[in-house]
Amino acid sequence: MADESQKWVLMVTAQTPTNIAVIKYWGKRDETLILPVNDSISVTLDPEHLCTTTTVAVSPSFDKDRMWLNGKEISLSGGRFQSCLREIRCRAGDVEDEKKGIKIAKKDWEKLHVHIASYNNFPTAAGLASSAAGLACLVFSLAKLMNVKEDHGKLSAIARQGSGSACRSLYGGFVKWIMGKDEKGSDSIAVQLADEKHWDDLVIVIAVVSSRQKETSSTTGMRETVETSMLLQHRAKEVVPKRILQMEEAIRNRDFASFAHLTCADSNQFHAVCLDTCPPIFYMNDTSHRIISIVEKWNRSEGTPQVAYTFDAGPNAVMIARNRKVAGVLLQKLLFYFPPQPDTDLNSYVIGDKSILKDAGLEGMKDVEALPPPPEIKDNIPAQKYKGDVSYFICTRPGKGPVLLSDESQALLNPESGLPK
Ligand code: ADE
């Protein structure tokens, strides 16, 4: 007969955003604790368009820790998952759910196992920092389940040990990851510079670039850069400290010209550092370079920056437009150069915040190929087009930090069995 005392399942569900660095994190001074060689700054992206949802559950009937990612069971044996689980477990508190008649004492957490189900609302393989949102969500939801009393700063230091950039996903808006000095990493935490409402004119357009090439993982790439690049030393010691101060000021004053200049320069220096690595690492491809040229040409023709671009460890372009009107014009230009395949309609080619398409008069447009060439092309030769080189575009904006989802219907685990729904 089943033991009635073993039957209960207690769950928490949370949603956490992804983020894009505008002053890049590249290079660790400690690989196990994930301590960076410089500070970094990011913009949190609206979780409505890009986020991770994670449900964590505990039950005396679970016989081991288990995790499902996007519906498939994955191993939790990796050091990064283990670090996060260990750090949260040892801070667990007493938990009581009066309605369900459940009481868990602080000391019981050592013996109890958890089930974790996580879902990314964007393709995990698209190179859109899914591990940042994923590990931040894991730490945030476990902390809630286990009644961990630490503030977001302390939680960010735990998330950092899962995936460096995950620490920045614990806040909305504009976030700084302070590299810290402590050998154990206690002061290597994220802080919020400004919330998402501070600068809500900004629009973010992501070009998910088709890529055939397997990229060097960030972990391997960073290690090789630290071991071989002199430029990284110069960047970390001389360049980034000044840029961090300038970027903080640009964000504080909503100074788009400075923000764009710093964002583009820092992305370009990060990729220069990759090229300075032995053997060199190439994350951008021809499409990435074409997008840089389109934005640079346009910004120059306007006399002042309209759009900033930044590229992480992959070919996808993240463009930040100064306002909605500019974002509409940007989309028009991008659709001119990178039209959808004939069998793809605009509605599935441009996803996320559709109102940008609508306001630009592009919604429902049948003949994207008929868009006029951008006026900054002065050449008489017809502009070349690159159909198929962009898989799709995502329109989004700066967004909020992690939230709890209290509605059980949003949970990814079954409340009776604790297994995926
Ligand atoms: N890696 C990619 N996505 C993830 C997620 N949602 N949780 C944990 N690790 C991940």
Side-chain angles (χ1 to χ4, degrees):
M1 204 175 79
D3 178 356
E4 285 300 309
S5 69
Q6 296 273 307
K7 271 191 116 175
W8 59 263
V9 175
L10 190 64
M11 315 196 291
V12 163
T13 301
Q15 198 171 63
T16 302
T18 183
N19 71 78
I20 178 73
V22 288
I23 300 292
K24 300 293 187 191
Y25 151 53
W26 194 254
K28 300 183 187 98
R29 64 179 200 277
D30 183 309
E31 289 225 9
T32 314
L33 290 168
I34 314 193
L35 300 175
V37 297
N38 58 255
D39 293 351
S40 54
I41 292 179
S42 60
V43 180
T44 298
L45 306 184
D46 191 341
E48 198 181 314
H49 310 124
L50 293 160
C51 75
T52 293
T53 304
T54 298
T55 300
V56 289
V58 62
S59 168
S61 67
F62 297 167
D63 54 9
K64 58 173 184 167
D65 293 338
R66 296 176 73 182
M67 175 162 180
W68 293 264
L69 175 56
N70 299 323
K72 263 184 71 184
E73 184 154 16
I74 62 163
S75 164
L76 274 174
S77 64
R80 290 162 169 231
F81 284 124
Q82 288 301 319
S83 297
C84 292
L85 279 163
R86 184 189 62 240
E87 295 296 315
I88 292 290
R89 259 200 185 105
C90 73
R91 291 169 173 82
D94 298 331
V95 171
E96 181 164 10
D97 186 318
E98 281 186 3
K99 263 198 242 145
K100 291 188 172 166
I102 302 168
K103 258 189 179 176
I104 308 171
K106 200 174 160 65
K107 62 174 174 36
D108 296 339
W109 284 106
E110 271 175 46
K111 293 170 274 175
L112 287 164
H113 294 288
V114 290
H115 282 184
I116 304 158
S118 193
Y119 171 77
N120 301 327
N121 75 347
F122 55 92
T124 302
L128 297 170
S130 54
S131 65
L135 271 301
C137 207
L138 177 68
V139 167
F140 182 77
S141 51
L142 282 173
K144 294 289 172 201
L145 178 74
M146 299 188 184
N147 193 21
V148 171
K149 291 287 194 319
E150 309 280 21
D151 59 24
H152 274 43
K154 289 261 168 55
L155 292 184
S156 79
I158 299 174
R160 187 203 76 228
Q161 297 175 57
S163 167
S165 49
C167 71
R168 296 188 309 244
S169 273
L170 280 159
Y171 295 99
F174 301 82
V175 185
K176 174 163 73 161
W177 173 10
I178 302 167
M179 64 179 284
K181 291 194 181 81
D182 180 25
E183 260 181 45
K184 298 229 166 65
S186 63
D187 55 355
S188 188
I189 61 167
V191 293
Q192 187 179 54
L193 298 175
D195 72 15
E196 63 278 12
K197 291 181 214 92
H198 167 72
W199 200 353
D200 60 1
D201 290 348
L202 299 181
V203 176
I204 297 159
V205 178
I206 305 172
V208 178
V209 170
S210 325
S211 142
R212 268 159 270 112
Q213 203 183 312
K214 175 85 189 95
E215 287 137 28
T216 311
S217 81
S218 297
T219 304
T220 307
M222 280 189 206
R223 185 182 305 134
E224 293 180 350
T225 302
V226 169
E227 283 167 1
T228 64
S229 170
M230 294 293 284
L231 183 56
L232 180 73
Q233 308 297 323
H234 171 67
R235 165 176 167 72
K237 289 200 173 58
E238 308 295 334
V239 180
V240 175
K242 293 189 190 94
R243 276 192 188 152
I244 289 280
L245 295 175
Q246 292 165 340
M247 183 58 94
E248 286 188 68
E249 187 173 272
I251 291 169
R252 198 163 41 242
N253 300 331
R254 298 183 202 93
D255 173 354
F256 189 80
S258 296
F259 175 82
H261 174 73
L262 290 163
T263 298
C264 300
D266 205 68
S267 172
N268 291 334
Q269 188 177 65
F270 155 50
H271 290 277
V273 156
C274 291
L275 270 185
D276 191 49
T277 299
C278 184
I281 307 165
F282 308 98
Y283 284 125
M284 292 194 283
N285 64 15
D286 289 355
T287 310
S288 319
H289 293 141
R290 262 175 212 124
I291 291 175
I292 293 181
S293 296
I294 293 165
V295 173
E296 288 280 356
K297 225 179 244 170
W298 182 25
N299 282 344
R300 229 166 308 133
S301 78
E302 294 287 338
T304 177
Q306 304 299 306
V307 174
Y309 55 80
T310 187
F311 295 78
D312 272 348
N316 297 336
V318 177
M319 290 159 276
I320 308 176
R322 66 187 313 153
N323 58 41
R324 295 173 60 81
K325 189 161 168 243
V326 165
V329 181
L330 171 66
L331 263 182
Q332 224 169 78
K333 291 180 198 290
L334 291 168
L335 289 170
F336 170 82
Y337 288 106
F338 306 102
Q341 302 275 20
D343 56 349
T344 309
D345 80 319
L346 204 51
N347 212 32
S348 52
Y349 192 54
V350 181
I351 62 172
D353 182 358
K354 301 274 185 193
S355 69
I356 306 290
L357 264 186
K358 194 168 169 205
D359 291 0
L362 296 165
E363 197 186 40
M365 185 174 203
K366 289 277 171 287
D367 195 10
V368 176
E369 299 265 13
L371 280 168
E376 58 272 18
I377 315 177
K378 295 194 194 78
D379 315 346
N380 297 326
I381 335 138
Q384 220 184 319
K385 296 199 179 207
Y386 303 93
K387 200 183 292 174
D389 288 358
V390 170
S391 302
Y392 55 97
F393 294 99
I394 307 170
C395 292
T396 186
R397 58 176 97 84
K400 64 185 179 189
V403 287
L404 277 178
L405 303 180
S406 46
D407 189 347
E408 216 167 65
S409 69
Q410 290 163 298
L412 304 175
L413 293 168
N414 183 301
E416 268 88 48
S417 65
L419 291 168
K421 277 183 178 167

